[in-house]
Amino acid sequence: MPSNQYYATTSLVIGYALCSSLLAVINKFAIWKFDYPGLLTALQYFTSVVGVWVLGKLGFLHHDAFNLETAKKFLPAAFVFYLAIFTNTNLLRHANVDTFIVFRSLTPLLVAIADTLFRKQPWPSKLTFVSLVIILLGAVGYVSTDQGFNLTAYSWAIAYLVTITTEMVYIKHMVTNLGLNTWGFVLYNNLISLILAPFFWIITGEYADVFQNISSSGGHLFEPVAFFAVSLSCVFGLLISFFGFATRKAVSATAFTVTGVVNKFLTVAINVLIWDKHSSSIGLFCLILTLVGGILYQQSVTVLNASNKEEQARKDDEEEEAPLVKPVEQKNGDDGKADEEKGVSV
């Protein structure tokens, strides 16, 4: 690899690692200082839409043009995406970052079950099954030792788990069929979610809290610290899209997965170091156990995919080497005549 390409790739990986590991902590900080999850996510969507549009106009990226017909087809995907982000933000509002990571790590377990039941995929391999059991044990251990357990937080956690699993199993398949490029996906996702946001403000009654706060504070919605936290959250939301897509293209799938796993450990370390909004020692141990299960799961999936590719390559080679018509053995009598008239295509 040329030195310039090496430094460029390294910069992308470092940028992605920093954004990914810090984003959950920054979002927790933002929702702590700005207690309006619906408005916070809307501001994040707005920043991403404007960022993609401006960068597209400047020629730094290319995105699909927005049209109404594609938007109608994309609406279910954007709706589930909005629910996933909305439940994610409310989970961080009521629980610590560790709880979010534990429930996020549970998604492979539900995805494996859903793939088998609804998409008729084969049951997981032994290594995959063991890794999923480790994830489950770590999650159960974390929940049972969580001193900050409350019903509201775990209700949002379950809602987040359901929506993010739905997105992984069904929505990604549907969106792929639309033929959007990566930045087109970001544009449609965030723009439609931004349009949906006011409906959720009305349903949840958050709009009333916002207007009441503006009235009581003399027209000021943001305190300086809250403004900084929200701005940081919006910027990092756009940066994670850029570095995530760019890094995925620059490195192998395995390297990208390993980076993602390391990012989770960095998130835990940063969360423990900067404040006291984290789990007990036993809870952190269970969290680490869940992450180890996630590593084993990724390893099992990588090995399985590699073996499938090797098997497919072997079959392709055999088909290329095999003759188009099998030679026919000369036999006596009627059987021999019948065989001479046949050629079995492979």
Side-chain angles (χ1 to χ4, degrees):
M1 179 185 294
S3 59
N4 290 340
Q5 184 180 353
Y6 171 79
Y7 288 123
T9 302
T10 302
S11 300
L12 290 174
V13 172
I14 293 174
Y16 173 67
L18 288 174
C19 291
S20 179
S21 58
L22 288 171
L23 187 59
V25 179
I26 290 173
N27 282 338
K28 174 63 179 179
F29 179 56
I31 198 64
W32 179 39
K33 293 297 182 180
F34 186 73
D35 195 21
Y36 305 107
L39 183 55
L40 175 62
T41 53
L43 291 171
Q44 292 172 338
Y45 299 141
F46 177 78
T47 303
S48 295
V49 169
V50 173
V52 170
W53 183 80
V54 170
L55 291 174
K57 288 294 184 182
L58 294 175
F60 289 105
L61 56 86
H62 170 72
H63 61 80
D64 298 286
F66 187 87
N67 66 77
L68 190 58
E69 288 301 318
T70 304
K72 289 178 181 178
K73 297 177 182 178
F74 198 91
L75 182 59
F79 180 72
V80 175
F81 171 77
Y82 183 94
L83 288 178
I85 300 300
F86 183 75
T87 53
N88 172 13
T89 307
N90 277 280
L91 171 58
L92 288 172
R93 181 188 187 189
H94 296 283
N96 56 36
V97 175
D98 299 339
T99 303
F100 162 72
I101 295 176
V102 166
F103 276 88
R104 182 67 178 80
S105 300
L106 273 174
T107 52
L109 176 61
L110 293 188
V111 168
I113 295 173
D115 274 343
T116 302
L117 294 180
F118 301 113
R119 298 182 62 195
K120 308 304 180 183
Q121 298 293 317
W123 284 101
S125 65
K126 291 182 180 179
L127 179 58
T128 302
F129 181 78
V130 169
S131 67
L132 294 175
V133 170
I134 293 174
I135 292 173
L136 181 61
L137 291 176
V140 171
Y142 178 87
V143 173
S144 62
T145 60
D146 186 7
Q147 298 175 352
F149 179 91
N150 69 81
L151 185 60
T152 302
Y154 278 84
S155 297
W156 282 113
I158 293 172
Y160 169 70
L161 196 57
V162 171
T163 53
I164 197 66
T165 302
T166 303
E167 185 194 26
M168 289 182 173
V169 174
Y170 171 70
I171 299 303
K172 287 185 179 180
H173 172 72
M174 189 193 76
V175 170
T176 301
N177 294 334
L178 294 178
L180 295 171
N181 65 15
T182 51
W183 288 110
F185 175 83
V186 173
L187 178 65
Y188 274 83
N189 235 359
N190 287 278
L191 182 54
I192 298 176
S193 296
L194 181 61
I195 295 171
L196 292 172
F199 296 100
F200 281 83
W201 297 345
I202 296 172
I203 293 172
T204 61
E206 184 177 310
Y207 75 97
D209 296 333
V210 172
F211 286 125
Q212 182 180 358
N213 182 43
I214 293 175
S215 300
S216 61
S217 60
H220 298 288
L221 181 61
F222 291 100
E223 296 292 333
V225 176
F227 178 80
F228 171 76
V230 171
S231 300
L232 201 61
S233 174
C234 292
V235 171
F236 267 75
L238 178 61
L239 288 178
I240 192 66
S241 296
F242 169 76
F243 280 110
F245 289 133
T247 304
R248 192 184 293 273
K249 291 181 179 180
V251 301
S252 66
T254 302
F256 186 81
T257 299
V258 170
T259 303
V261 172
V262 172
N263 292 345
K264 290 182 178 179
F265 284 99
L266 288 175
T267 302
V268 174
I270 293 169
N271 190 53
V272 170
L273 291 174
I274 65 173
W275 55 16
D276 60 353
K277 298 180 183 298
H278 54 78
S279 307
S280 63
S281 299
I282 298 177
L284 288 173
F285 172 78
C286 294
L287 171 58
I288 298 299
L289 182 64
T290 303
L291 294 180
V292 170
I295 295 173
L296 293 176
Y297 171 80
Q298 295 291 351
Q299 180 64 26
S300 68
V301 172
T302 301
V303 171
L304 180 61
N305 289 339
S307 62
N308 288 340
K309 289 180 180 179
E310 290 177 0
E311 179 66 19
Q312 185 61 44
R314 185 184 64 79
K315 290 181 179 179
D316 293 341
D317 291 340
E318 290 178 354
E319 290 180 359
E320 290 177 359
E321 294 173 359
L324 293 178
V325 179
K326 291 182 179 179
V328 180
E329 296 182 2
Q330 181 68 36
K331 296 183 180 179
N332 295 328
D334 294 337
D335 291 341
K337 291 179 181 179
D339 285 342
E340 288 177 15
E341 296 171 355
K342 293 180 180 179
V344 184
S345 297
V346 179

